[in-house]
Amino acid sequence: MSKHRQTTMGSDLEPLMLNCGEHGQRIATVICRHLLGGSDLPRAGFIENSDDPNDLQAWCHACEAKFEAEGDMTEAFRAFNDFAVVCVDCYLAAKAHHSLVGQ
């Protein structure tokens, strides 16, 4: 799942933007559905799969375990993970809430 599109120059990648209902026009990111929701949810862990600021991706510890058990992004993994596209501010809020001490 690529979130990037080529610029007219063909060599630089621009981030995909989205209009978040809460934060307005922001860079799009991808997280697992387990990281969605408010701060009343239990901490699920937060594993970043990319540190490119224009291509932020993360999932929880349960998704990491499922990925390792499946050995790849299988259909079973994709169904379990159920990716969601959120803005960068929502991503950072999920990271702040779900990151575990010492992670």
Side-chain angles (χ1 to χ4, degrees), residues 58-87:
W59 58 50
C60 68
H61 284 191
C63 285
E64 180 72 4
K66 182 71 171 177
F67 177 78
E68 288 183 8
E70 293 289 316
D72 202 352
M73 284 195 182
T74 63
E75 288 304 315
F77 169 79
R78 286 187 175 96
F80 181 79
N81 182 292
D82 197 17
F83 296 102
V85 178
V86 300
C87 84

mmCIF file of all heavy atoms in Angstrom, residues 58-87:
data_model
loop_
_atom_site.group_PDB
_atom_site.id
_atom_site.type_symbol
_atom_site.label_atom_id
_atom_site.label_comp_id
_atom_site.label_asym_id
_atom_site.label_seq_id
_atom_site.Cartn_x
_atom_site.Cartn_y
_atom_site.Cartn_z
ATOM 1 N N ALA A 58 2.595 2.629 11.531
ATOM 2 C CA ALA A 58 2.800 1.971 12.821
ATOM 3 C C ALA A 58 1.680 0.967 13.078
ATOM 4 O O ALA A 58 0.589 1.058 12.515
ATOM 5 C CB ALA A 58 2.832 3.003 13.946
ATOM 6 N N TRP A 59 2.003 -0.005 13.961
ATOM 7 C CA TRP A 59 0.992 -0.924 14.459
ATOM 8 C C TRP A 59 1.312 -1.282 15.889
ATOM 9 O O TRP A 59 2.367 -0.928 16.413
ATOM 10 C CB TRP A 59 0.820 -2.139 13.565
ATOM 11 C CG TRP A 59 2.013 -3.015 13.294
ATOM 12 C CD1 TRP A 59 2.883 -3.546 14.200
ATOM 13 C CD2 TRP A 59 2.444 -3.516 12.026
ATOM 14 N NE1 TRP A 59 3.821 -4.336 13.584
ATOM 15 C CE2 TRP A 59 3.570 -4.340 12.240
ATOM 16 C CE3 TRP A 59 1.967 -3.365 10.730
ATOM 17 C CZ2 TRP A 59 4.226 -4.998 11.210
ATOM 18 C CZ3 TRP A 59 2.633 -4.014 9.719
ATOM 19 C CH2 TRP A 59 3.740 -4.814 9.950
ATOM 20 N N CYS A 60 0.403 -1.977 16.530
ATOM 21 C CA CYS A 60 0.529 -2.313 17.948
ATOM 22 C C CYS A 60 1.318 -3.612 18.134
ATOM 23 O O CYS A 60 1.669 -4.286 17.166
ATOM 24 C CB CYS A 60 -0.857 -2.431 18.570
ATOM 25 S SG CYS A 60 -1.794 -3.859 17.963
ATOM 26 N N HIS A 61 1.548 -3.962 19.388
ATOM 27 C CA HIS A 61 2.293 -5.193 19.696
ATOM 28 C C HIS A 61 1.548 -6.438 19.227
ATOM 29 O O HIS A 61 2.176 -7.398 18.766
ATOM 30 C CB HIS A 61 2.578 -5.269 21.185
ATOM 31 C CG HIS A 61 3.683 -4.357 21.608
ATOM 32 N ND1 HIS A 61 4.266 -4.410 22.839
ATOM 33 C CD2 HIS A 61 4.323 -3.346 20.963
ATOM 34 C CE1 HIS A 61 5.211 -3.491 22.942
ATOM 35 N NE2 HIS A 61 5.250 -2.831 21.809
ATOM 36 N N ALA A 62 0.225 -6.436 19.332
ATOM 37 C CA ALA A 62 -0.550 -7.603 18.870
ATOM 38 C C ALA A 62 -0.387 -7.789 17.359
ATOM 39 O O ALA A 62 -0.256 -8.921 16.880
ATOM 40 C CB ALA A 62 -2.021 -7.449 19.238
ATOM 41 N N CYS A 63 -0.357 -6.692 16.625
ATOM 42 C CA CYS A 63 -0.143 -6.778 15.174
ATOM 43 C C CYS A 63 1.263 -7.261 14.856
ATOM 44 O O CYS A 63 1.460 -8.024 13.915
ATOM 45 C CB CYS A 63 -0.422 -5.439 14.505
ATOM 46 S SG CYS A 63 -2.184 -5.066 14.370
ATOM 47 N N GLU A 64 2.241 -6.819 15.637
ATOM 48 C CA GLU A 64 3.613 -7.285 15.435
ATOM 49 C C GLU A 64 3.698 -8.792 15.642
ATOM 50 O O GLU A 64 4.315 -9.513 14.851
ATOM 51 C CB GLU A 64 4.570 -6.552 16.384
ATOM 52 C CG GLU A 64 6.014 -6.977 16.246
ATOM 53 C CD GLU A 64 6.706 -6.510 14.980
ATOM 54 O OE1 GLU A 64 6.119 -5.765 14.170
ATOM 55 O OE2 GLU A 64 7.876 -6.901 14.785
ATOM 56 N N ALA A 65 3.052 -9.301 16.692
ATOM 57 C CA ALA A 65 3.045 -10.743 16.965
ATOM 58 C C ALA A 65 2.344 -11.501 15.830
ATOM 59 O O ALA A 65 2.816 -12.559 15.399
ATOM 60 C CB ALA A 65 2.369 -11.028 18.301
ATOM 61 N N LYS A 66 1.226 -10.971 15.341
ATOM 62 C CA LYS A 66 0.496 -11.607 14.237
ATOM 63 C C LYS A 66 1.356 -11.608 12.972
ATOM 64 O O LYS A 66 1.417 -12.616 12.262
ATOM 65 C CB LYS A 66 -0.822 -10.877 13.990
ATOM 66 C CG LYS A 66 -1.681 -11.461 12.905
ATOM 67 C CD LYS A 66 -2.280 -12.766 13.328
ATOM 68 C CE LYS A 66 -3.323 -13.239 12.321
ATOM 69 N NZ LYS A 66 -3.857 -14.548 12.682
ATOM 70 N N PHE A 67 2.034 -10.492 12.697
ATOM 71 C CA PHE A 67 2.901 -10.405 11.525
ATOM 72 C C PHE A 67 4.016 -11.450 11.609
ATOM 73 O O PHE A 67 4.298 -12.162 10.649
ATOM 74 C CB PHE A 67 3.499 -8.997 11.403
ATOM 75 C CG PHE A 67 4.458 -8.849 10.261
ATOM 76 C CD1 PHE A 67 3.996 -8.697 8.969
ATOM 77 C CD2 PHE A 67 5.823 -8.865 10.480
ATOM 78 C CE1 PHE A 67 4.889 -8.567 7.903
ATOM 79 C CE2 PHE A 67 6.716 -8.725 9.433
ATOM 80 C CZ PHE A 67 6.251 -8.582 8.136
ATOM 81 N N GLU A 68 4.645 -11.565 12.775
ATOM 82 C CA GLU A 68 5.723 -12.540 12.942
ATOM 83 C C GLU A 68 5.198 -13.970 12.837
ATOM 84 O O GLU A 68 5.854 -14.828 12.247
ATOM 85 C CB GLU A 68 6.441 -12.303 14.261
ATOM 86 C CG GLU A 68 7.284 -11.032 14.208
ATOM 87 C CD GLU A 68 8.094 -10.769 15.463
ATOM 88 O OE1 GLU A 68 8.149 -11.653 16.353
ATOM 89 O OE2 GLU A 68 8.672 -9.679 15.551
ATOM 90 N N ALA A 69 4.018 -14.235 13.373
ATOM 91 C CA ALA A 69 3.432 -15.576 13.278
ATOM 92 C C ALA A 69 3.085 -15.933 11.834
ATOM 93 O O ALA A 69 3.273 -17.068 11.408
ATOM 94 C CB ALA A 69 2.181 -15.661 14.158
ATOM 95 N N GLU A 70 2.591 -14.951 11.085
ATOM 96 C CA GLU A 70 2.210 -15.181 9.686
ATOM 97 C C GLU A 70 3.429 -15.186 8.768
ATOM 98 O O GLU A 70 3.394 -15.777 7.700
ATOM 99 C CB GLU A 70 1.223 -14.102 9.223
ATOM 100 C CG GLU A 70 -0.127 -14.158 9.889
ATOM 101 C CD GLU A 70 -0.952 -15.342 9.453
ATOM 102 O OE1 GLU A 70 -1.004 -15.651 8.243
ATOM 103 O OE2 GLU A 70 -1.561 -15.977 10.337
ATOM 104 N N GLY A 71 4.482 -14.468 9.150
ATOM 105 C CA GLY A 71 5.694 -14.420 8.345
ATOM 106 C C GLY A 71 5.644 -13.437 7.192
ATOM 107 O O GLY A 71 6.605 -13.314 6.436
ATOM 108 N N ASP A 72 4.540 -12.727 7.057
ATOM 109 C CA ASP A 72 4.388 -11.781 5.955
ATOM 110 C C ASP A 72 3.069 -11.040 6.142
ATOM 111 O O ASP A 72 2.316 -11.320 7.075
ATOM 112 C CB ASP A 72 4.384 -12.529 4.616
ATOM 113 C CG ASP A 72 4.767 -11.631 3.437
ATOM 114 O OD1 ASP A 72 4.892 -10.406 3.622
ATOM 115 O OD2 ASP A 72 4.931 -12.169 2.327
ATOM 116 N N MET A 73 2.773 -10.133 5.234
ATOM 117 C CA MET A 73 1.487 -9.434 5.264
ATOM 118 C C MET A 73 0.450 -10.281 4.541
ATOM 119 O O MET A 73 0.021 -9.969 3.424
ATOM 120 C CB MET A 73 1.600 -8.047 4.635
ATOM 121 C CG MET A 73 2.265 -7.058 5.515
ATOM 122 S SD MET A 73 1.950 -5.410 4.893
ATOM 123 C CE MET A 73 2.889 -4.465 6.061
ATOM 124 N N THR A 74 0.044 -11.344 5.190
ATOM 125 C CA THR A 74 -0.949 -12.261 4.635
ATOM 126 C C THR A 74 -2.344 -11.644 4.735
ATOM 127 O O THR A 74 -2.548 -10.629 5.409
ATOM 128 C CB THR A 74 -0.933 -13.585 5.407
ATOM 129 O OG1 THR A 74 -1.306 -13.302 6.763
ATOM 130 C CG2 THR A 74 0.440 -14.251 5.359
ATOM 131 N N GLU A 75 -3.307 -12.275 4.109
ATOM 132 C CA GLU A 75 -4.695 -11.825 4.216
ATOM 133 C C GLU A 75 -5.160 -11.878 5.674
ATOM 134 O O GLU A 75 -5.879 -10.987 6.124
ATOM 135 C CB GLU A 75 -5.610 -12.663 3.317
ATOM 136 C CG GLU A 75 -5.433 -12.365 1.834
ATOM 137 C CD GLU A 75 -5.641 -10.890 1.485
ATOM 138 O OE1 GLU A 75 -6.613 -10.270 1.963
ATOM 139 O OE2 GLU A 75 -4.805 -10.351 0.742
ATOM 140 N N ALA A 76 -4.750 -12.915 6.409
ATOM 141 C CA ALA A 76 -5.120 -13.015 7.826
ATOM 142 C C ALA A 76 -4.530 -11.852 8.619
ATOM 143 O O ALA A 76 -5.201 -11.268 9.478
ATOM 144 C CB ALA A 76 -4.653 -14.345 8.411
ATOM 145 N N PHE A 77 -3.278 -11.492 8.309
ATOM 146 C CA PHE A 77 -2.667 -10.348 8.983
ATOM 147 C C PHE A 77 -3.406 -9.065 8.634
ATOM 148 O O PHE A 77 -3.721 -8.260 9.500
ATOM 149 C CB PHE A 77 -1.184 -10.204 8.614
ATOM 150 C CG PHE A 77 -0.610 -8.901 9.090
ATOM 151 C CD1 PHE A 77 -0.246 -8.739 10.415
ATOM 152 C CD2 PHE A 77 -0.481 -7.824 8.227
ATOM 153 C CE1 PHE A 77 0.244 -7.522 10.874
ATOM 154 C CE2 PHE A 77 0.020 -6.620 8.676
ATOM 155 C CZ PHE A 77 0.376 -6.466 10.006
ATOM 156 N N ARG A 78 -3.683 -8.865 7.366
ATOM 157 C CA ARG A 78 -4.375 -7.637 6.941
ATOM 158 C C ARG A 78 -5.744 -7.516 7.597
ATOM 159 O O ARG A 78 -6.152 -6.430 8.002
ATOM 160 C CB ARG A 78 -4.494 -7.594 5.422
ATOM 161 C CG ARG A 78 -3.185 -7.280 4.733
ATOM 162 C CD ARG A 78 -3.389 -7.084 3.220
ATOM 163 N NE ARG A 78 -2.158 -6.664 2.601
ATOM 164 C CZ ARG A 78 -1.303 -7.480 1.999
ATOM 165 N NH1 ARG A 78 -1.551 -8.766 1.939
ATOM 166 N NH2 ARG A 78 -0.198 -7.003 1.468
ATOM 167 N N ALA A 79 -6.456 -8.626 7.705
ATOM 168 C CA ALA A 79 -7.769 -8.594 8.363
ATOM 169 C C ALA A 79 -7.616 -8.264 9.842
ATOM 170 O O ALA A 79 -8.419 -7.502 10.400
ATOM 171 C CB ALA A 79 -8.477 -9.938 8.183
ATOM 172 N N PHE A 80 -6.608 -8.815 10.495
ATOM 173 C CA PHE A 80 -6.369 -8.557 11.917
ATOM 174 C C PHE A 80 -5.959 -7.104 12.136
ATOM 175 O O PHE A 80 -6.440 -6.428 13.039
ATOM 176 C CB PHE A 80 -5.284 -9.501 12.447
ATOM 177 C CG PHE A 80 -4.989 -9.324 13.907
ATOM 178 C CD1 PHE A 80 -5.835 -9.874 14.867
ATOM 179 C CD2 PHE A 80 -3.880 -8.610 14.323
ATOM 180 C CE1 PHE A 80 -5.568 -9.711 16.223
ATOM 181 C CE2 PHE A 80 -3.600 -8.439 15.668
ATOM 182 C CZ PHE A 80 -4.453 -8.993 16.625
ATOM 183 N N ASN A 81 -5.052 -6.604 11.293
ATOM 184 C CA ASN A 81 -4.516 -5.252 11.421
ATOM 185 C C ASN A 81 -5.553 -4.200 11.049
ATOM 186 O O ASN A 81 -5.698 -3.208 11.744
ATOM 187 C CB ASN A 81 -3.275 -5.122 10.526
ATOM 188 C CG ASN A 81 -2.602 -3.791 10.610
ATOM 189 O OD1 ASN A 81 -3.156 -2.779 10.182
ATOM 190 N ND2 ASN A 81 -1.395 -3.775 11.145
ATOM 191 N N ASP A 82 -6.262 -4.416 9.960
ATOM 192 C CA ASP A 82 -7.326 -3.523 9.492
ATOM 193 C C ASP A 82 -6.856 -2.068 9.446
ATOM 194 O O ASP A 82 -7.410 -1.184 10.097
ATOM 195 C CB ASP A 82 -8.563 -3.680 10.370
ATOM 196 C CG ASP A 82 -9.812 -3.108 9.726
ATOM 197 O OD1 ASP A 82 -9.813 -2.889 8.503
ATOM 198 O OD2 ASP A 82 -10.781 -2.861 10.462
ATOM 199 N N PHE A 83 -5.811 -1.817 8.673
ATOM 200 C CA PHE A 83 -5.174 -0.508 8.549
ATOM 201 C C PHE A 83 -6.171 0.648 8.497
ATOM 202 O O PHE A 83 -7.213 0.541 7.886
ATOM 203 C CB PHE A 83 -4.341 -0.433 7.260
ATOM 204 C CG PHE A 83 -3.191 -1.379 7.208
ATOM 205 C CD1 PHE A 83 -3.269 -2.547 6.474
ATOM 206 C CD2 PHE A 83 -2.020 -1.090 7.885
ATOM 207 C CE1 PHE A 83 -2.203 -3.422 6.400
ATOM 208 C CE2 PHE A 83 -0.943 -1.957 7.812
ATOM 209 C CZ PHE A 83 -1.036 -3.125 7.076
ATOM 210 N N ALA A 84 -5.801 1.760 9.109
ATOM 211 C CA ALA A 84 -6.579 2.992 9.049
ATOM 212 C C ALA A 84 -5.656 4.122 8.613
ATOM 213 O O ALA A 84 -4.495 4.177 9.020
ATOM 214 C CB ALA A 84 -7.183 3.311 10.410
ATOM 215 N N VAL A 85 -6.164 5.017 7.793
ATOM 216 C CA VAL A 85 -5.417 6.200 7.390
ATOM 217 C C VAL A 85 -5.862 7.347 8.287
ATOM 218 O O VAL A 85 -7.059 7.632 8.392
ATOM 219 C CB VAL A 85 -5.665 6.542 5.903
ATOM 220 C CG1 VAL A 85 -4.930 7.812 5.507
ATOM 221 C CG2 VAL A 85 -5.237 5.378 5.021
ATOM 222 N N VAL A 86 -4.892 7.969 8.960
ATOM 223 C CA VAL A 86 -5.169 9.084 9.870
ATOM 224 C C VAL A 86 -4.167 10.200 9.604
ATOM 225 O O VAL A 86 -3.121 9.973 8.996
ATOM 226 C CB VAL A 86 -5.095 8.658 11.363
ATOM 227 C CG1 VAL A 86 -6.114 7.570 11.666
ATOM 228 C CG2 VAL A 86 -3.699 8.205 11.750
ATOM 229 N N CYS A 87 -4.465 11.393 10.086
ATOM 230 C CA CYS A 87 -3.533 12.502 9.894
ATOM 231 C C CYS A 87 -2.342 12.363 10.832
ATOM 232 O O CYS A 87 -2.375 11.613 11.809
ATOM 233 C CB CYS A 87 -4.233 13.844 10.088
ATOM 234 S SG CYS A 87 -4.364 14.418 11.784
#
